[in-house]
Amino acid sequence: MAVPLQQMEAASEPKELVRLVVIGSVDDGKSTLIGRLLYETGALFDDQIEQVRRATRNGDAIDFSLFTDGLKAEREQGITIDVAYRYFETRRRKFILADTPGHAQYTRNMATGASTADAAIILVDARLGVLPQTRRHATIASLLGIRRLAVAVNKMDLAGFDPGAFQRIAGQVRAFAASLGFTQLVLLPVSAKLGDNVALQSPRMPWHRGGSVLDFVESVEVQRDRAERPFRFPVQNVLRPHIDYRGLAGQIASGAVTVGDEIVVLPSGARSRVRAIETFEGPVSRAHAPMSVVLRLADDVDAGRGDLLAHPESAPAVGRQVEAMAVWLAERPLDFTRAYAIKHASCTSPARIEALRWRFDPETGEESPASSLALNEIGMVVVRAARPIAADPYALDRATGAFILIDALTNETVAAGMIASGPRAETEQAAARPIEPGMVLLVRARTEALSVARAHEFERIAAEGALVSAIVRRPAAARACAAAGLVVLFPAADEDLEAAREALRAVGVEPVEVDGEAEAQSLHRAIAREDR
Amino acid sequence: MLSHLRELEAESIHVIREVAAEFARPVLLYSIGKDSQVLLHLARKAFHPAPVPFPLLHVDTTWKFREMYAFRDRIVRELGLRLLVHRNQRALDEGINPFDHSSQKYTFALKTQALLEALANGGYDAAFGGARRDEEKSRAKERIFSFRDRHGQWEPRQQRPELWNLYNGRIEKGESIRVFPLSNWSELDVWQYVQLEDIPVVPLYFAAERPVVERQGNLIVVDDERFRLAPGEVPRHRRVRFRTLGCYPLSAAIESDAANVAAIIAEMRSSRRSERQGRLIDHDEEGSMETKKREGYF
């Protein structure tokens, strides 16, 4: 009998938003479990139940899996091929449940569903026990940053509700999950078909005292420490309703900010203070994640879409190179020669994959050398972005540690990345090298104008060292000036960088690349120190 | 902790701002219903104190309730918004109407085709819609940034994976996306938010005495003289309201006493019927929404 939980709540009671991912294949009874969960929490309406009753193939009992198998192709094939989102509520919480298929070939969908989840539920068939895929599911959940996991040992009705069968599986799960870093691991004996331990404690399994699936989702602690972490604010848009107003719109990714706080704009390194925090309802003195707000700064510093604001004392690392675990999402395999774009927070930049350190097998946990990643494969990659990004390791901050890679030609989303280390400033080598006569410096920056401005700054630095320099725009001129012993400055916007590099190489010039913005940042700091 | 409504609000605003930043010509599909009103409210919040940086587009079948047109015009005037109205004039000239034509043909001509025409004419590369994933099974799998090919069509098996809140807005010329910032909202969330934010909605959502005829168990409100009554059929006044609004001959009312938002929320908590039940066009066949969506319907 359906428990109409929705009827019992007060209208105005604020609820906590909780995101779940359920992983398992149709053979494990995943759709049935979710259908049953929706039914028992009163999330289904009579006409939906009626519709499913009509579509149920045989017999009179409701086929709970039909509530969730949405697309025609899925109904025809009887399998789930895509992530679907379900919604239900209890008195305290509103749940967003990502329903993800569990077959090996759908790793990408599993990763998609897990990417935003606070907790995961993995299904295991009681008759089959722990399979390689169980380990894959748990590993992927762990990889995507999920720390709280319930394993529902389903079809207990077909295993005679036998505590021995359940204990055996529980032991196996605990053994392999120990290394995956879960802070909470709950094992539940369930019969989704009959409803045992889904919403209510099963009278047929009195030996189980660990509660039901609903108990787990109702009580699981969700990551609410987002507001406690260092402040991160990716700028989405600049609002300029009139000449005297310049507001930076964005959603606070983590941490909190207070009016008067000193902030640093990354990657440029420019500093300012928060003059006002504005919302539609009016100004506020403090805001925290995940609020969407508008920040106004005290100074007219250059800050726009793609920049990230942080507190200077807890600012993230800035650089072009990151090392990350990547889940490959596209049919076309990873290609080192292909042009990609990286989207990280609100910043999109051209990117390449420089290296593949190893491929990772989520079923065995083994790392092995590989030359590429195919669809649904996972590996540690080194990505180099044309524009420096300000990021955190994924383990510390999901919002600023995640990125996607987009194929520059087909526009497909080809990979999901979780930063393991970095970003690293990749210009250390170049910066450490003294400027010498005959050197060609490829000065890159976000925009054409900025790269030219930076080139002029380098020109001054060269002049201080009594070196003659020239800013040139043609590869042939660069070669001639270098041959004449000048320091050659060749400005290029990020988007033209690749072309500039190739054009110079084509005339036999091997440029030294300098990060105009990072260099300018250190100049800026040096000047600021002198001022004091 | 933010309440679930504030968290949903913040996420929807993030989506709306991403679209404004990454697309050249976004447009907000405004259908005058409660979801459109919430969407519009969020768009205003997203850019305040700047104005909403994209126009509203109403795909008009000419068969909406009179109160809907009046409400639309009032909202647009009061908020100083830019509204574009588009009709499939050829289909109207050919006499396509909800009485003589099947709901499939009518919907395809006056809604789907009209929408595709309007988007193509305006060169819009992103269109916001107020659809929610809890409305219908095929919606449950749709992305927040939902890619459309050159013909405005949806291919459910070729959807881009959507991880975290990192949306891939890259398209080629002629392609577009439909954006659904309310994807994760439920019907109850929408009404609670309408209450919380005091958002105006068309009065048809509230119970009142209205002239009604009963057709195959559906209560249809006779909104104007174009309605074709059967011989001997006489509209009777009944106390009804709408859970969902569309073309009046195709929208079924429910008997209700809920005359304000609080009463609607209370009614919804005890209701056992889904909101789409009142939409006559969804019941054509099993999977009919998916078929319409593939063709380009919202």
Side-chain angles (χ1 to χ4, degrees):
Chain A
M1 187 58 221
V3 186
L5 288 167
Q6 288 188 332
Q7 291 172 30
M8 309 190 314
E9 324 147 20
S12 57
E13 202 179 335
K15 293 182 184 191
E16 192 173 18
L17 193 60
V18 178
R19 289 179 152 87
L20 304 170
V21 58
V22 179
I23 310 171
S25 66
V26 70
D27 308 328
D28 302 326
K30 175 180 59 85
S31 300
T32 308
L33 176 73
I34 294 171
R36 174 66 84 164
L37 203 55
L38 298 180
Y39 182 72
E40 303 263 5
T41 54
L44 299 172
F45 295 106
D46 288 348
D47 53 307
Q48 289 174 313
I49 295 170
E50 187 49 42
Q51 208 179 0
V52 164
R53 225 188 265 280
R54 258 185 278 141
T56 297
R57 265 175 246 178
N58 37 23
D60 293 322
I62 301 177
D63 179 351
F64 285 96
S65 70
L66 294 178
F67 288 117
T68 58
D69 283 343
L71 301 176
K72 273 184 178 174
E74 290 178 350
R75 282 197 300 279
E76 283 154 15
Q77 295 167 24
I79 53 155
T80 316
I81 56 172
D82 205 339
V83 189
Y85 293 87
R86 320 286 173 197
Y87 305 85
F88 65 99
E89 300 190 6
T90 58
R91 209 170 316 173
R92 298 178 45 225
R93 292 179 156 181
K94 164 172 170 140
F95 296 94
I96 300 177
L97 186 154
D99 174 0
T100 69
H103 300 291
Q105 62 269 38
Y106 297 126
T107 296
R108 72 169 193 175
N109 294 338
M110 222 179 298
T112 302
S115 69
T116 52
D118 299 301
I121 300 169
I122 292 177
L123 277 103
V124 173
D125 185 326
R127 296 166 304 171
L128 305 175
V130 170
L131 298 174
Q133 70 169 18
T134 313
R135 191 181 167 126
R136 181 175 64 241
H137 297 166
T139 305
I140 291 167
S142 165
L143 195 66
L144 270 292
I146 291 171
R147 293 289 162 262
R148 295 174 189 278
L149 172 69
V151 175
V153 180
N154 191 26
K155 305 194 184 179
M156 284 300 291
D157 51 317
L158 300 179
F161 299 106
D162 173 24
F166 173 72
Q167 287 309 336
R168 207 159 43 244
I169 294 168
Q172 290 167 348
V173 170
R174 287 202 186 93
F176 80 76
S179 62
L180 294 175
F182 294 107
T183 54
Q184 186 184 0
L185 177 63
V186 173
L187 284 124
L188 304 163
V190 168
S191 168
K193 194 169 147 206
L194 302 178
D196 294 72
N197 287 335
V198 176
L200 301 170
Q201 176 82 41
S202 165
R204 285 179 282 227
M205 291 180 277
W207 43 267
H208 172 69
R209 306 237 168 262
S212 65
V213 174
L214 190 60
D215 291 334
F216 171 74
V217 302
E218 268 277 73
S219 63
V220 67
E221 245 185 79
V222 295
Q223 290 194 324
R224 290 300 150 199
D225 54 345
R226 215 169 140 183
E228 312 299 319
R229 286 197 292 263
F231 171 62
R232 302 283 184 263
F233 183 80
V235 178
Q236 288 186 273
N237 325 70
V238 178
L239 304 181
R240 300 217 70 158
H242 51 82
I243 194 84
D244 298 323
Y245 188 102
R246 183 183 162 84
L248 305 176
Q251 183 177 16
I252 301 175
S254 51
V257 67
T258 304
V259 171
D261 282 359
E262 187 179 15
I263 56 96
V264 58
V265 180
L266 299 171
S268 79
R271 301 231 182 160
S272 185
R273 282 186 188 282
V274 176
R275 184 168 113 202
I277 304 169
E278 300 193 338
T279 70
F280 187 75
E281 287 76 21
V284 294
S285 58
R286 185 177 167 80
H288 60 83
M291 291 166 73
S292 281
V293 295
V294 173
L295 298 186
R296 298 180 72 193
L297 303 181
D299 312 284
D300 197 14
V301 294
D302 183 14
R305 178 167 173 84
D307 288 336
L308 186 118
L309 271 51
H311 289 135
E313 67 279 7
S314 56
V318 176
R320 286 194 165 82
Q321 198 191 54
V322 292
E323 203 159 315
M325 279 299 252
V327 179
W328 203 257
L329 308 170
E331 297 281 351
R332 189 195 301 271
L334 180 157
D335 183 345
F336 297 110
T337 65
R338 226 173 147 78
Y340 298 108
I342 182 172
K343 182 165 184 185
H344 168 264
S346 61
C347 173
T348 306
S349 154
R352 283 192 183 276
I353 300 173
E354 287 191 326
L356 174 61
R357 298 264 191 251
W358 66 77
R359 185 163 55 209
F360 175 70
D361 182 342
E363 287 187 5
T364 61
E366 275 168 22
E367 294 163 3
S368 57
S371 56
S372 182
L373 290 178
L375 175 64
N376 292 311
E377 289 186 334
I378 300 170
M380 185 69 84
V381 297
V382 179
V383 177
R384 183 193 162 106
R387 199 201 148 178
I389 57 172
D392 294 288
Y394 187 76
L396 293 182
D397 199 320
R398 258 167 131 177
T400 53
F403 63 82
I404 56 170
L405 291 178
I406 299 166
D407 187 300
L409 215 59
T410 66
N411 295 334
E412 275 178 293
T413 304
V414 297
M418 290 145 283
I419 295 173
S421 68
R424 269 181 298 279
E426 240 253 318
T427 49
E428 283 158 22
Q429 224 184 344
R433 246 172 107 173
I435 296 176
E436 293 164 13
M439 190 182 255
V440 178
L441 297 175
L442 181 55
V443 183
R444 60 189 187 193
R446 222 177 327 163
T447 61
E448 174 72 19
L450 202 56
S451 63
V452 173
R454 297 316 182 219
H456 282 287
E457 281 172 1
F458 283 108
E459 197 171 29
R460 278 200 300 278
I461 297 169
E464 282 166 22
L467 295 170
V468 183
S469 61
I471 298 177
V472 301
R473 312 303 298 272
R474 289 160 184 269
R479 187 180 56 186
C481 293
L486 273 66
V487 174
V488 181
L489 301 166
F490 196 93
D494 281 341
E495 56 184 32
D496 303 320
L497 192 61
E498 196 61 35
R501 209 181 275 148
E502 274 161 28
L504 287 168
R505 278 176 197 155
V507 296
V509 171
E510 191 57 42
V512 174
E513 290 181 24
V514 291
D515 178 346
E517 288 171 66
E519 297 293 320
Q521 190 181 331
S522 56
L523 282 176
H524 182 88
R525 286 209 190 102
I527 293 163
R529 266 196 298 276
E530 277 168 29
D531 287 351
R532 264 178 235 139
Chain B
M1 175 194 116
L2 286 187
S3 74
H4 72 291
L5 290 178
R6 290 296 175 212
E7 195 161 334
L8 289 172
E9 175 190 64
E11 287 174 6
S12 300
I13 289 173
H14 172 264
V15 169
I16 294 167
R17 287 170 171 173
E18 282 299 285
V19 174
E22 296 204 338
F23 290 84
R25 286 180 69 80
V27 67
L28 189 151
L29 293 191
Y30 182 72
S31 65
I32 324 178
K34 62 186 190 307
D35 302 303
S36 283
Q37 278 298 102
V38 166
L39 186 57
L40 174 60
H41 187 72
L42 292 166
R44 293 174 61 220
K45 282 196 161 193
F47 304 103
H48 178 83
V52 177
F54 36 77
L56 275 53
L57 171 66
H58 179 216
V59 174
D60 184 20
T61 60
T62 73
W63 288 94
K64 304 294 169 191
F65 292 89
R66 284 169 300 167
E67 278 182 89
M68 290 173 75
Y69 292 110
F71 180 86
R72 176 194 75 187
D73 294 341
R74 175 170 76 80
I75 291 293
V76 166
R77 191 174 56 245
E78 284 179 4
L79 300 178
L81 300 163
R82 196 150 71 84
L83 172 76
L84 309 160
V85 177
H86 183 82
R87 302 183 191 95
N88 182 350
Q89 199 54 51
R90 185 202 293 221
L92 289 170
D93 291 345
E94 287 174 12
I96 304 281
N97 70 70
F99 297 106
D100 296 320
H101 300 90
S102 67
S103 70
Q104 289 100 317
K105 183 170 280 176
Y106 169 80
T107 302
F108 181 72
L110 291 183
K111 293 181 160 185
T112 307
Q113 243 180 6
L115 171 64
L116 295 176
E117 258 175 29
L119 294 178
N121 291 352
Y124 300 112
D125 52 3
F128 290 100
R132 309 184 318 266
R133 286 177 179 148
D134 78 331
E135 282 178 74
E136 207 273 339
K137 280 198 281 188
S138 69
R139 296 256 197 232
K141 309 213 163 182
E142 187 153 14
R143 305 295 188 253
I144 292 176
F145 271 41
S146 186
F147 180 78
R148 291 295 188 279
D149 66 17
R150 269 163 228 284
H151 309 290
Q153 298 184 343
W154 183 57
E155 182 42 74
R157 304 189 80 153
Q158 298 293 323
Q159 297 194 87
R160 289 173 177 174
E162 203 163 74
L163 293 100
W164 300 289
N165 60 353
L166 298 172
Y167 305 104
N168 176 356
R170 295 220 165 182
I171 53 167
E172 295 302 321
K173 205 168 156 57
E175 298 171 342
S176 63
I177 61 154
R178 306 277 171 90
V179 194
F180 303 106
L182 304 183
S183 287
N184 287 326
W185 296 55
S186 67
E187 186 189 8
L188 186 60
D189 295 331
V190 166
W191 279 115
Q192 287 180 329
Y193 190 70
V194 164
Q195 184 179 42
L196 185 71
E197 297 281 296
D198 203 13
I199 299 169
V201 293
V202 185
L204 290 160
Y205 286 112
F206 305 119
E209 296 281 328
R210 296 187 172 95
V212 169
V213 295
E214 196 168 331
R215 296 262 170 103
Q216 281 131 32
N218 292 308
L219 303 180
I220 308 297
V221 169
V222 179
D223 195 55
D224 62 30
E225 69 297 338
R226 291 179 294 174
F227 195 89
R228 298 206 197 144
L229 294 166
E233 195 176 31
V234 180
R236 288 178 42 216
H237 271 77
R238 288 166 81 163
R239 195 165 171 78
V240 296
R241 70 177 200 87
F242 291 88
R243 280 180 77 179
T244 175
L245 290 173
C247 298
Y248 85 82
L250 295 173
S251 300
I254 53 167
E255 294 206 278
S256 168
D257 278 322
N260 56 50
V261 177
I264 287 174
I265 291 170
E267 183 189 272
M268 202 179 318
R269 286 182 189 286
S270 59
S271 166
R272 305 297 311 146
R273 315 295 290 180
S274 75
E275 81 185 301
R276 294 204 80 83
Q277 195 219 355
R279 294 197 189 185
L280 274 43
I281 62 168
D282 289 351
H283 303 304
D284 305 342
E285 53 164 312
E286 168 82 336
S288 68
M289 172 64 90
E290 184 186 339
T291 308
K292 285 201 288 286
K293 285 175 64 58
R294 281 169 179 268
E295 290 167 354
Y297 181 69
F298 236 79

